[in-house]
Amino acid sequence: MSENPNNWPLWEVFIQSKRGLDHKHVGSLHAADAQMAIENARDVYTRRQEGNSIWVVPASAISASNHDDGGMLFDPADDKTYRHPTFYQMPEGAKYI
Amino acid sequence: MTDVKTLEDVFQAKVDAEQKIEPKDWMPDAYRKNLVRQISQHAHSEVVGMLPEGNWIGRAPSLRRKAILLAKVQDEAGHGLYLYSAVETLGTSREKTNDDLNSGKAKYSSIFNYPTLTWADIGAVGWLVDGAAIMNQVMLCRTSYGPYARAMVRICKEESFHQRQGYEIMGVLAKGTPEQREMAQDALNRWWWPSLMMFGPSDADSPHSAQSMKWKIKRQSNDELRQIFIDRTVQQAEVIGLTIPDPELKWNEETKHYDWGEIDWTEFNNVIAGNGPCNRERLAARNKAHSEGAWVRDAAMAYAAKKAKKKQAA
Amino acid sequence: MDQHQALLTYCLRRGDDNLILSHRLGEWCGHGPQLEEDIALTNRALDLIGQARNYLQYAAEVEGKGRTEDDLAFLRSERQFVNTMLVEQLNGDYAHTICRSFLYDAWHLPLQQALTKSADERIAAIAGKAVKEVSYHLRTSSEWMIRFGDGTEESHVRAQTALDALWTFTGDLFVQDDVDAILVKAGVVPDMAPIRSAFDKTVETVLAEATLERPVDGHMATGGRQGKHSEHLGYLLAEMQYLQRAHPGAQW
Ligand SMILES: [Fe+2]
Ligand SMILES: [Fe+2]
Ligand SMILES: [Fe+2]
């Protein structure tokens, strides 16, 4: 099954819903070029005031970690609770810390 | 062999623990196939479903209704798109999925092979067809495959006005002139049974159901969902004064559910087999859109390539 | 004609332009060349029907005879519709549809921009909202004109054919009569001369990038503003108005 080279490539879409928030992955779509991808993303993913800013990335440019490596990649962080502020006991009465 | 067994155990354990399966996770081949089949059928239903409703955009009887219907049918295009995207995460391209629809190989919900004959059908479709679809979709927000579940969450948010606008149309017609009232009742008569069929064969005869439940692709059985839909819809029909076309419909004090008549499965199978009133028209319309759009898609790619080349040269 | 009558007619013209084009674009819904594009085109139709409703609601108020936006949209007949002839033209292939929108947008944007400065507050407000929508319309229709013109050989021919066929309707966009004269004088609407030069400039820039040729200004078909249309409009209205006509007085 050979793909028609004239098929519009796949883009992943990230939308920032409000100033100051992260761009969040919302889905994907097809477009011939980046400009069209942004416009399609606007028409497809922001029809209900969801959008403030849009990023599009060619899906082929994304490398993903393997979920089954999850243990190796992410579990080692589990016992480093000293990275979290709640790890520390502050003396009673101390303010603004 | 033992290896696959272990992988499958790990997979099932994740599912049992209500962890979502993500695209790069190992998954049984049959799970992947099952998902590709189900999600693409679902996507096709959204896209083909645009046609019977699109049929009335030009004739919507007020500017408000015209805008609502346009927005509603457009939403369905969006739903198709989100779902095709979910299929792509399983390694099946939009083109392949689309080709399967256009060649008649893939299925879509049979309900869209019925014609929208009068304006009241737009009310009935929103109320009953979207209503039945929503039952399924709410369940699917908790489906085990991550990208499918996320698409469904988005879809459910958007669906919330679809059923309401249909019910509103029916309510206005039911209160309207005698002709309008008759139009509404006639639409309910024609769409009621096909909507019940949307939930699929009864559990006893449902070929994929047991496995889908084990994999938590489906979370509730066809019959369960159908019963909830009937209970809710009967009450809604009463409120607007329309009659459900089922002489056997009766409240059952014991079960706290409505008892109801028998679905004509020969009709259902006949429509699935391609002999519904509009099967050919629907496929022809999709094929026409695709083939007549080819030069448009080609032009955009050709231009993008030229521009990229120029940019490189600069 | 007094200023009141002129204002009513002007609002009907703006409402009808947007309504008829929106109706035409709605015909594509479910049949577009690509799902993404189907959605984009419907967004455009939705913007236009919103603008149509704003102008028709205002027209109904200005008229003050108890008619509603729906009465105006569904119960006026062919000769009472005062949209420009361009918008009622058939969709044709996608190049025709895009080209029709491009020519409309290239005129519509500078017009709505100018209307934001209208002495009539309501019109200024309607235009203020429309400008954002129409800016996006012009941007995307221009991009498609360029893609078609400079895309494949086939798309180039189709775009040029569409442009040649539709050019004759561009004259009607700029026709000015009593209605305009009265309202220009009152500062409610702009003179068409600067709109025309903005239109010319947009067309020149976009066509150059699209490697398309601007047709020569030959015979221009005009009459839309006086309710003298092409034969297409009657069929469009027959479809659009049928339910309201078949069930007089009914609610929907
Ligand atoms: Fe649907
Ligand atoms: Fe949907
Ligand atoms: Fe829906």
Side-chain angles (χ1 to χ4, degrees), chain B residues 72 76 79 130 159 162:
Chain B
K72 198 258 181 201
E76 307 300 5
H79 300 169
D130 284 83
E159 281 290 343
H162 294 185

Side-chain angles (χ1 to χ4, degrees), chain B residues 46 53 72 75-76 79 130 133-134 137 158-159 162-163:
Chain B
E46 301 283 354
E53 290 186 282
K72 198 258 181 201
D75 272 353
E76 307 300 5
H79 300 169
D130 284 83
I134 289 167
Q137 289 166 347
E158 301 187 353
E159 281 290 343
H162 294 185
Q163 191 186 16

Side-chain angles (χ1 to χ4, degrees), chain B residues 111 114-129 166 169-170 173 179-195 242-245:
Chain B
I111 193 89
Y114 291 88
T116 48
L117 299 178
T118 71
W119 169 250
D121 290 34
I122 298 307
V125 168
W127 176 31
L128 303 174
V129 176
I169 290 174
M170 290 301 258
L173 293 175
E179 288 95 335
Q180 285 180 306
R181 219 193 126 65
E182 198 185 308
M183 206 191 276
Q185 184 61 53
D186 169 63
L188 173 55
N189 294 349
R190 282 181 290 110
W191 289 92
W192 174 252
W193 291 103
S195 319
L242 293 177
T243 312
I244 303 281

Side-chain angles (χ1 to χ4, degrees), chain B residues 50-51 58-63 65-67 73-74 77 94 119 172 180 286 289 293 295 297 299 303 306, chain C residues 23 29-31 33-34 36 39 43 46 70 74 146-147 150-151 154-155 158 239-240 243-244 250-252:
Chain B
M50 298 171 75
L51 300 171
R59 290 174 289 173
S62 73
L63 295 178
R65 292 279 175 220
K66 201 177 175 73
V73 179
Q74 182 199 40
R94 169 101 65 96
W119 169 250
V172 171
Q180 285 180 306
R286 286 315 307 161
W295 73 267
R297 297 188 297 274
Y303 177 73
K306 277 188 203 176
Chain C
H23 180 98
C29 189
H31 307 273
Q34 166 95 3
E36 283 81 351
I39 294 172
N43 263 350
L46 281 165
D70 286 334
F74 296 95
I146 293 165
R147 279 189 197 108
D150 196 18
E154 179 180 3
S155 68
R158 284 178 184 268
E239 179 188 6
M240 185 174 84
L243 273 173
Q244 288 259 359
Q251 297 299 303
W252 301 95

